[in-house]
Amino acid sequence: MPKSWTDDAPAPVALQEHAHLKDPIVYKIKKALLGNPLNRHTLGHQRLAKRFALGILSSDCISSSAYGSEQILIALLPAFGLASFALMMPMTVVIIAILTIITLSYRNVIEVYTKTGGAYIVTKDNFGPVMSIIAAVALMLDYIVTVAIQSAAGVAAIISTFPSFHAGKVYMTIGIILLITYGNLRGVKEAGKSFAMPTYLFIGGMAIVFITGLVKAFTGTLPVLATNLPGAKELGHAQGLLTFSAIFILLRAFANGGSSLTGLEAISDGVALFKVPEAQNARKTLVTMSVILGTLVVGVSWFAQRIHAMPYDKGTPTVISQIAKESLGSSATGRVLFVFVQAATMLILFAGANTTYNAFPILCNFVATDGYLPHQLTKRGHRLSFSNGIIFLASSATALVIITGAAVDRLVAFYALGVFTGFTLAGFGMAKHAHTHKIGNWKLKMFINGLSGSVSVIVVLVFAVVKFTEGAWLVITIAPIAVVLLLRLNRQYRREQAALNFRSEESRATSISRHDVTILVDSVDVATVGAVRYARSLNPHNLAAVHFVIDDQRAEDIRKAWAEAPALDDVTLELIDCPDRRLPNAAMDYAIRATTSPDVELTLLLPRRSYTPILGKLLHDQTAEEIARPISQLSRVVATIIPFDVAKIISGQSVVIHDSHVSGATKVVQEVQEKIQAQKIEPASAVSFMSHEPVSHYAENVMPIGKITWRSRAHVKGRVTSIKTAPRGSAPIVEVEVWDETGGVTLQFLGRREISGLDVGSQLLAEGMVGETNGSLTILNPSYEIVI
């Protein structure tokens, strides 16, 4: 290639984008349905003021007041008849007392766990991983039921307003689940402030209902409904409260009413969403939410008792709709307000279901990161949501709706068992935390949390007994099986990781100069070291490693592990941004740029870890073939997959990493020579910075990167897409690629091994003299500013 200082050389230019692969039909369909992929650098959440956080995070909890009191009546009426209405308020008082205890416990959770403090995190920190899996399974089951019951209850609110829709109840409920699922797959965020509106509409609507109802009650115009209407629940005969059957029915009614307390954990799960000070704002919001929930539950129970609102066999009209209708009256204004209240009830129930679409995938991400669920649940999808978790949640909830016929009273049988298990473990976990750390008024905290755990475990036992035949048996059966499966899954992951770990003193092979070789790195383990040994045996002129960044934390972990590994200290690791997470495209783009010069041949090595056929496909990504297939279509580029059999190591056959000077390397070279053709590469040109202008001049105005010129000063701004650091054994240098809409330029920082605060994806301002490297524009040792 002609050098830039010769007369016949082309002028150096800014880096330019290259053509990408033709989109396959499946990807085209995905783009048509979900839109263009979101850049991962847009990922983030907005900080919420308390008023927005209350509306967004409390929708699940507050909306449960729409059916909690009704579920109490469903259990009481067949056994106690009209006396059931007299039992409503005492039963409600017990539920409010439990609400108070659990709220006090979760205030303590928020105080200690100021980022996220769900039952899974609390249990893992205080009781270890096995108990935390019990909490995780309980919460996952609860979230699945939440989507089903919130959607079914929202549809019931529609049918209570328009009874003719009753025949399509199941289809409407499934349609709502699919609609919410579609919205979340497109990237609908829980932190969107518009999701606060349904909560305040519902609170406002119920305030109107309660005020007008109280006025009618004090003036004696609040009607009492007939209890023998067609379709209403059959009334039983009054009986004593001390018989075994009566006590059993009372416990069942109490368990039904416990469904009003679901969703209390949402605030502790979302502490990081609050504005500073997060913990203080979250605690205030939690108390406010609990007060509103308690007020709504007491109000609905009192009005249901006062007007004798009857549940119906088909689930509609609902008790809360009867209260609204009688309180608001039959005037034109009353009918409009009734429709408004029903619409608000429907919206908050659907918003509560949508909240679960954020909590469930994040919980699965935590559990999968810890190695107890398939790693696919940690991957963000096309629109940056945890799409695998969303699809799993929607599929499970849809199956539950079909099984139960979208009947809220049947879904309640599956409901509170999971959430109260979480309350139990969180309460006892915080009690242990207080006793262990003994900070501040720790005795009072231990008492409150211990009381919360004790009350919750009583509720769990009561629910398991009285709801066993109604569906709780399924949860009781599935939960232990799921816990065992998750523990066995973790054991498999740990065995595979143990097989992939390597010791720092393990060696490497010799190398003889041939051509450029690049290793695509996904993790730093024994398979990667084996790929490096293989790469050295190819005698490359330039040996490098590349990691395409789709997760910043993982990239940082790989960078640190690479820097600390003596076996890799002479191999350059380059982090290249992959914002749309399409690894084949990123690899193709890298290969095109690396072979711009016609005398360069590139070999891409892709380590592939082979596992057992069935579990390997279920638990691990299979991306090596997807990358190698399009790469093989390029001239002067060879993609070689390096298999590494993890299953064989687990079975007892270990891999031995030999020293770099053993004779076995010769055999590897011979095998490579039989498989691929290699070309000798001319030495790479040095960096040339020739300028006849005074270097002290400063370019004031920021210019597009595509318009900067060689041998002049330039002031540019763009996003960092690549950071390349020199290996530990060579002269220190950091190369940073910065791009804007018009092109890219390389910034070279001599004498440095890192730039503090600079990450792939950062915005950077830089100013300096423009030189060139191999025909591409380069700025040497620029002054810079990281844009926050």
Side-chain angles (χ1 to χ4, degrees):
M1 179 177 179
K3 306 305 180 186
S4 58
W5 55 81
T6 60
D7 293 336
D8 58 346
V13 295
L15 301 173
Q16 298 296 323
E17 293 278 4
H18 294 283
H20 291 292
L21 298 173
K22 183 179 179 180
D23 291 339
I25 184 64
V26 174
Y27 189 78
K28 290 180 179 178
I29 295 173
K30 182 188 291 186
K31 284 182 63 176
L33 292 175
L34 303 180
N36 291 324
L38 292 179
N39 189 311
R40 67 181 184 85
H41 300 305
T42 64
L43 182 64
H45 63 258
Q46 59 192 117
R47 295 282 182 162
L48 299 176
K50 294 191 290 294
R51 63 183 183 277
F52 289 114
L54 176 65
I56 293 168
L57 300 176
S58 66
S59 56
D60 179 18
C61 183
I62 290 177
S63 64
S64 60
S65 62
Y67 50 81
S69 299
E70 180 173 351
Q71 296 305 312
I72 296 176
L73 284 174
I74 289 174
L76 292 176
L77 286 171
F80 297 103
L82 291 176
S84 303
F85 293 108
L87 297 172
M88 275 287 293
M89 290 312 295
M91 192 73 64
T92 301
V93 169
V94 175
I95 292 172
I96 296 302
I98 296 176
L99 169 64
T100 303
I101 294 170
I102 296 176
T103 299
L104 293 174
S105 176
Y106 269 90
R107 285 183 81 249
N108 188 217
V109 171
I110 294 170
E111 181 183 11
V112 175
Y113 295 90
T114 57
K115 295 302 179 184
T116 181
Y120 175 72
I121 302 297
V122 174
T123 307
K124 183 175 72 172
D125 283 357
N126 293 283
F127 294 124
V130 175
M131 292 298 293
S132 70
I133 293 306
I134 297 176
V137 169
L139 290 173
M140 286 191 291
L141 292 174
D142 173 64
Y143 288 145
I144 291 170
V145 180
T146 295
V147 173
I149 199 170
Q150 295 282 114
S151 301
V155 169
I158 298 174
I159 296 175
S160 296
T161 310
F162 306 102
S164 59
F165 289 164
H166 183 270
K169 179 171 68 172
V170 173
Y171 300 107
M172 290 173 65
T173 305
I174 295 175
I176 292 298
I177 292 175
L178 294 178
L179 184 62
I180 297 174
T181 302
Y182 176 69
N184 280 273
L185 288 175
R186 283 187 61 90
V188 171
K189 294 296 181 184
E190 183 186 53
K193 293 180 179 179
S194 60
F195 282 98
M197 185 179 296
T199 300
Y200 289 109
L201 289 176
F202 179 70
I203 293 172
M206 293 308 298
I208 295 172
V209 170
F210 288 170
I211 292 170
T212 56
L214 287 172
V215 171
K216 286 188 175 183
F218 289 137
T219 58
T221 57
L222 186 65
V224 176
L225 301 178
T227 57
N228 57 351
L229 296 176
K233 291 287 184 181
E234 184 178 352
L235 290 173
H237 300 286
Q239 57 178 300
L241 298 178
L242 298 180
T243 64
F244 177 80
S245 60
I247 294 174
F248 186 83
I249 296 299
L250 289 172
L251 291 175
R252 176 181 292 175
F254 166 72
N256 278 9
S259 61
S260 299
L261 305 185
T262 55
L264 274 175
E265 193 181 58
I267 300 292
S268 66
D269 285 337
V271 177
L273 290 172
F274 285 83
K275 288 184 176 180
V276 178
E278 297 95 336
Q280 180 180 339
N281 290 332
R283 294 174 73 190
K284 291 180 180 179
T285 305
L286 172 66
V287 173
T288 303
M289 180 184 73
S290 297
V291 170
I292 293 173
L293 174 63
T295 302
L296 290 171
V297 171
V298 170
V300 172
S301 295
W302 187 84
F303 278 101
Q305 173 192 30
R306 188 65 183 260
I307 70 172
H308 287 184
M310 294 288 293
Y312 281 73
D313 291 327
K314 62 182 182 179
T316 54
T318 60
V319 166
I320 196 171
S321 69
Q322 296 174 57
I323 295 171
K325 190 172 186 179
E326 299 306 321
S327 295
L328 298 172
S330 56
S331 64
T333 303
R335 289 195 295 271
V336 171
L337 288 175
F338 172 71
V339 173
F340 168 77
V341 171
Q342 290 301 101
T345 304
M346 173 198 70
L347 288 175
I348 193 174
L349 287 164
F350 292 159
N354 181 74
T355 302
T356 306
Y357 275 83
N358 182 69
F360 181 88
I362 290 178
L363 173 65
C364 290
N365 174 50
F366 287 156
V367 179
T369 300
D370 290 338
Y372 292 94
L373 281 174
H375 287 167
Q376 286 87 335
L377 293 171
T378 66
K379 307 295 184 183
R380 293 189 181 272
H382 188 74
R383 303 282 290 183
L384 294 180
S385 57
F386 293 108
S387 51
N388 290 329
I390 290 173
I391 293 171
F392 177 53
L393 173 63
S395 302
S396 303
T398 300
L400 198 56
V401 166
I402 295 173
I403 292 171
T404 60
V408 175
D409 57 329
R410 294 179 64 187
L411 286 167
V412 166
F414 301 94
Y415 203 11
L417 193 59
V419 72
F420 273 95
T421 300
F423 292 161
T424 299
L425 293 171
F428 286 140
M430 291 309 301
K432 181 181 178 183
H433 183 276
H435 181 267
T436 301
H437 296 276
K438 294 182 172 62
I439 299 174
N441 197 0
W442 66 272
K443 291 184 179 179
L444 177 60
K445 294 177 181 178
M446 187 174 70
F447 171 77
I448 292 174
N449 289 296
L451 180 61
S452 174
S454 301
V455 169
S456 298
V457 77
I458 292 172
V459 175
V460 170
L461 294 175
V462 168
F463 202 98
V465 173
V466 301
K467 288 289 185 179
F468 186 82
T469 58
E470 298 179 24
W473 66 269
L474 187 60
V475 178
I476 295 171
T477 303
I478 290 177
I481 296 174
V483 169
V484 171
L485 289 177
L486 265 58
L487 291 174
R488 290 181 63 87
L489 184 65
N490 177 257
R491 185 189 308 167
Q492 177 68 16
Y493 273 133
R494 285 189 286 109
R495 292 170 65 188
E496 292 171 355
Q497 187 57 49
L500 291 170
N501 288 336
F502 71 96
R503 297 185 300 274
S504 59
E505 64 272 13
E506 291 175 326
S507 60
R508 61 199 191 197
T510 58
S511 60
I512 304 174
S513 180
R514 289 176 59 130
H515 62 283
D516 289 350
V517 176
T518 297
I519 305 159
L520 302 188
V521 177
D522 184 57
S523 61
V524 181
D525 54 29
V526 69
T528 303
V529 173
V532 172
R533 291 178 60 248
Y534 180 76
R536 291 196 184 97
S537 72
L538 301 179
N539 304 321
H541 170 70
N542 180 51
L543 174 58
V546 167
H547 172 70
F548 296 111
V549 181
I550 59 177
D551 182 287
D552 294 303
Q553 184 58 52
R554 181 174 178 83
E556 179 64 15
D557 293 341
I558 289 174
R559 186 192 67 79
K560 290 180 179 178
W562 194 274
E564 294 168 359
L568 308 172
D569 59 6
D570 64 341
V571 181
T572 298
L573 174 64
E574 181 176 6
L575 304 179
I576 296 181
D577 193 19
C578 184
D580 63 356
R581 300 163 302 286
R582 300 180 66 190
L583 295 179
N585 265 4
M588 177 76 82
D589 192 60
Y590 175 85
I592 292 174
R593 291 171 53 187
T595 56
T596 302
S597 176
D599 60 351
V600 173
E601 180 177 89
L602 175 68
T603 295
L604 288 180
L605 300 183
L606 295 87
R608 183 183 65 186
R609 298 148 185 87
S610 302
Y611 304 91
T612 54
I614 298 178
L615 283 179
K617 293 182 179 179
L618 178 64
L619 305 182
H620 301 279
D621 290 334
Q622 305 290 324
T623 56
E625 288 82 2
E626 296 176 13
I627 296 174
R629 193 177 301 115
I631 290 296
S632 63
Q633 301 171 16
L634 299 177
S635 60
R636 296 179 290 107
V637 179
V638 176
T640 304
I641 296 175
I642 312 297
F644 192 86
D645 197 342
V646 179
K648 187 173 292 186
I649 299 177
I650 294 175
S651 65
Q653 302 182 26
S654 61
V655 172
V656 179
I657 299 181
H658 298 283
D659 192 83
S660 59
H661 302 290
V662 298
S663 59
T666 305
K667 183 178 180 181
V668 176
V669 174
Q670 292 173 348
E671 293 175 353
V672 173
Q673 291 173 338
E674 294 174 358
K675 294 181 180 179
I676 62 175
Q677 296 179 351
Q679 295 179 351
K680 197 73 175 179
I681 303 171
E682 294 293 330
S685 61
V687 180
S688 173
F689 286 88
M690 298 184 62
S691 175
H692 301 290
E693 298 179 2
V695 295
S696 60
H697 289 176
Y698 180 81
E700 292 287 348
N701 298 323
V702 175
M703 63 181 66
I705 294 177
K707 293 185 178 181
I708 65 176
T709 56
W710 185 36
R711 299 178 177 178
S712 63
R713 299 194 71 84
H715 194 180
V716 298
K717 179 181 179 180
R719 183 180 296 278
V720 176
T721 62
S722 170
I723 300 175
K724 181 192 295 186
T725 57
R728 189 169 56 183
S730 63
I733 182 174
V734 177
E735 294 185 357
V736 178
E737 275 192 20
V738 177
W739 287 73
D740 64 10
E741 294 81 1
T742 62
V745 65
T746 300
L747 312 179
Q748 287 192 342
F749 298 88
L750 303 180
R752 306 181 68 169
R753 293 199 180 276
E754 64 177 353
I755 299 176
S756 299
L758 188 65
D759 300 307
V760 172
S762 300
Q763 288 282 347
L764 191 68
L765 274 168
E767 194 276 340
M769 179 62 67
V770 181
E772 68 88 30
T773 304
N774 293 331
S776 297
L777 297 178
T778 306
I779 301 178
L780 177 65
N781 284 337
S783 59
Y784 68 92
E785 177 185 350
I786 300 174
V787 181
I788 305 299

